[in-house]
Amino acid sequence: MNDFKSFSNEKNNGSTTQNSGDAQLNNTVEMAKLITKAMNGKSTMQIMQTIISEAERGKREGTLTNADLDNFYNALSPLLDGAKKRRLKQVIEKLKEI
């Protein structure tokens, strides 16, 4: 995973000829592919540590907004079961406080 901002920038630079629903679906699919590739073979703990450290870095540098965090959650949460979704929501809320 590079960073949250690159996903947000990709989303904002999407084709304007597609309707927003198609563009959002395509961006979500692309993000899922990137995450899957980056996290292949890693444990859940390693994945969470990577997400948290990248988000903390982005928040401290001022390159990650709360809206970016919400976009990340909204894109990733449909791929998770209930417990993992709740855990990700808790992490996102903590990151918003930074």
Side-chain angles (χ1 to χ4, degrees):
M1 169 187 287
N2 289 336
D3 59 30
F4 289 87
K5 199 66 169 180
S6 65
F7 170 72
S8 180
N9 288 338
E10 287 172 13
K11 186 174 183 175
N12 291 335
N13 291 333
S15 171
T16 57
T17 60
Q18 292 179 322
N19 70 39
S20 63
D22 288 346
Q24 183 177 10
L25 177 61
N26 288 339
N27 286 329
T28 301
V29 168
E30 289 305 312
M31 181 182 180
K33 287 179 186 177
L34 288 171
I35 290 171
T36 301
K37 183 179 176 185
M39 301 303 169
N40 190 24
K42 294 185 178 168
S43 71
T44 302
M45 184 59 78
Q46 289 171 316
I47 293 169
M48 289 302 290
Q49 287 173 343
T50 301
I51 290 170
I52 292 168
S53 66
E54 285 299 313
E56 285 176 343
R57 183 180 56 81
K59 287 289 282 189
R60 285 188 171 76
E61 292 176 355
T63 60
L64 180 66
T65 66
N66 288 346
D68 294 327
L69 289 169
D70 287 335
N71 289 340
F72 178 76
Y73 175 80
N74 291 333
L76 192 59
S77 64
L79 306 173
L80 303 174
D81 64 30
K84 290 177 183 172
K85 190 181 293 189
R86 284 189 298 277
R87 176 68 179 133
L88 181 61
K89 184 69 172 174
Q90 291 171 342
V91 168
I92 295 292
E93 292 305 317
K94 282 189 133 184
L95 290 169
K96 286 181 176 181
E97 296 173 5
I98 294 176

